[in-house]
Amino acid sequence: MSGRGRKILYVTTTAICLIAAVSACVLMAYSAYRESGKLLHTIFSFLLFVGVWILVSPCVLIHECGHLFFGLCTRLKPVSVCVGRLRIEGRKVRFAFSSAAGKTEFVPRGDRNVRGRLMAASLGGATFNFIFGIVFSALFFVLPESPVLLFFALFAPLHLFEGICAILPAELNSGRTDGELFRVLKGNAPEAQIFVNVLTVQGILFSDTFDEVNEKLLLDTPVVREDDSAFLSLLHLRWQYFMWKNDTERAKETLFRLEALKDYLDEGAAAQVACDAVFMRRIADGICDENFYVPAPAKGTCSALRAELASNRGDREEYKKRAAAERAAGIRALESTFFERFIQNF
């Protein structure tokens, strides 16, 4: 089936499942009322359920916990977790826009069987949703009625709905579903090969530098669509790699190609690429853009601080301090290289 066909099937199926899930919630509340005869208790549980569903998205939260659990079990290191606008990166918690309801990002520990480990982690979210949905559905029919049980049981149909939405293969505006990612990885499609290569390199950079990266992982890759998210990440890694190797000309060519594709990037990544381009123009062409101002989504990043220094603003000590705080040893080493080779001369 074509990508468009899978998307149509996805929209149709999920719409039917959503109607079924909401109907099941209403029927469960009505059944609880018939059994207990306590209208106020039932209404309170139902209204609390609706409020929590809207404000907290517990089904999405459980889904991302499933990805985290399976990822940790398969030796994948979590980088960030998003639930709605809440984004957790290490010990930092902030609010950021995301086109997806939830998202968990990993890098592998080691470079063995990365594809298989990613396939397992991709199914973790739906697995947790199905477990919670089935367990609370069973408890609702087995245990005596109570407001607390009703509150948790009302989420059961929505957990099942979330799991079905996740495992159906489709590529949406917000990205691939878990089922689509599993399908692409299982078939080892060109997109999957680039995705695995990108994560493998990022995993290496968490403990080593670009000196330990096999060049083939970045340069010997299949041809894919330019708007593919993994390809865009690959371009950014290539730019960093060429800068590490002091190949300024190829770095410039790669970064400006990425800048031309920034409409395909999310808001934060696009802002950092704009900053990197200002820095690159100063390095490669000697152009100092003193009118450049850092886009809000990039503020505080090393990319933004480099751009400010390249625009004859900013603080070298602040940049060195921020660079030292980077998570990955390889990225930290790269930032040090940027300073030693280029920024100290600004």
Side-chain angles (χ1 to χ4, degrees):
M1 184 182 293
S2 67
R4 185 171 181 271
R6 285 194 297 273
K7 188 172 182 179
I8 292 173
L9 177 62
Y10 177 88
V11 172
T12 304
T13 305
T14 54
I16 294 172
C17 290
L18 178 59
I19 294 171
V22 173
S23 300
C25 292
V26 174
L27 288 173
M28 290 172 75
Y30 178 71
S31 174
Y33 163 65
R34 288 292 300 272
E35 182 178 339
S36 66
K38 299 177 181 178
L39 180 60
L40 290 178
H41 286 181
T42 303
I43 292 176
F44 175 78
S45 297
F46 188 81
L47 291 178
L48 183 61
F49 150 73
V50 172
V52 171
W53 180 29
I54 294 173
L55 295 175
V56 184
S57 303
C59 297
V60 176
L61 179 61
I62 294 298
H63 183 92
E64 300 310 320
C65 286
H67 285 310
L68 278 174
F69 179 80
F70 274 66
L72 291 171
C73 288
T74 53
R75 298 185 66 246
L76 296 175
K77 180 181 178 65
V79 176
S80 67
V81 180
C82 287
V83 178
R85 293 185 62 86
L86 184 67
R87 182 178 179 89
I88 303 172
E89 294 178 298
R91 296 180 180 180
K92 295 182 179 179
V93 179
R94 62 189 179 90
F95 290 94
F97 173 77
S98 175
S99 57
K103 186 177 182 180
T104 301
E105 297 176 327
F106 296 102
V107 295
R109 299 177 186 271
D111 57 359
R112 300 181 62 180
N113 193 25
V114 173
R115 186 165 67 96
R117 289 149 63 190
L118 290 172
M119 288 170 63
S122 69
L123 297 181
T127 301
F128 262 41
N129 284 133
F130 286 131
I131 290 173
F132 274 72
I134 292 170
V135 167
F136 280 108
S137 294
L139 291 177
F140 177 76
F141 291 104
V142 172
L143 298 180
E145 191 280 332
S146 72
V148 175
L149 175 62
L150 175 61
F151 170 75
F152 286 103
L154 287 173
F155 286 104
L158 297 176
H159 275 298
L160 297 175
F161 167 71
E162 182 74 25
I164 291 170
C165 289
I167 63 170
L168 286 175
E171 186 158 358
L172 310 174
N173 294 333
S174 58
R176 294 187 178 97
T177 64
D178 296 338
E180 176 67 6
L181 177 59
F182 182 88
R183 186 190 70 82
V184 170
L185 287 169
K186 185 172 184 289
N188 201 23
E191 295 89 346
Q193 295 175 41
I194 290 181
F195 180 59
V196 170
N197 284 9
V198 165
L199 286 179
T200 300
V201 172
Q202 290 175 340
I204 293 171
L205 293 178
F206 258 85
S207 56
D208 294 296
T209 70
F210 276 106
D211 285 334
E212 306 303 319
V213 173
N214 187 337
E215 189 175 88
K216 291 183 178 180
L217 289 172
L218 294 172
L219 304 182
D220 187 12
T221 56
V223 177
V224 295
R225 287 173 12 204
E226 287 192 325
D227 63 345
D228 183 82
S229 59
F231 176 72
L232 297 171
S233 297
L234 178 70
L235 284 181
H236 199 263
L237 284 171
R238 283 179 180 173
W239 171 69
Q240 293 179 334
Y241 176 77
F242 290 137
M243 292 297 285
W244 176 266
K245 295 296 184 181
N246 210 19
D247 190 343
T248 308
E249 191 59 35
R250 293 175 77 184
K252 171 187 171 182
E253 178 184 342
T254 303
L255 183 62
F256 289 170
R257 183 183 180 190
L258 180 60
E259 185 186 26
L261 301 172
K262 64 183 180 182
D263 289 344
Y264 299 123
L265 296 168
D266 64 39
E267 188 180 48
Q272 291 195 51
V273 168
C275 294
D276 290 335
V278 170
F279 168 73
M280 197 71 239
R281 289 189 178 93
R282 177 71 184 273
I283 297 301
D285 303 323
I287 299 174
C288 178
D289 186 358
E290 296 186 354
N291 296 319
F292 175 78
Y293 288 95
V294 174
K299 285 188 180 297
T301 65
C302 284
S303 296
L305 295 171
R306 282 199 307 269
E308 289 187 326
L309 289 168
S311 303
N312 290 337
R313 297 191 303 274
D315 186 323
R316 288 186 181 86
E317 292 306 314
E318 182 185 358
Y319 170 72
K320 290 172 66 177
K321 186 186 298 184
R322 181 68 184 87
E326 286 287 341
R327 289 186 304 271
I331 302 302
R332 184 166 59 246
L334 180 67
E335 295 296 348
S336 176
T337 300
F338 279 152
F339 179 79
E340 292 168 1
R341 292 180 183 170
F342 309 112
I343 295 173
Q344 64 178 341
N345 299 317
F346 288 168

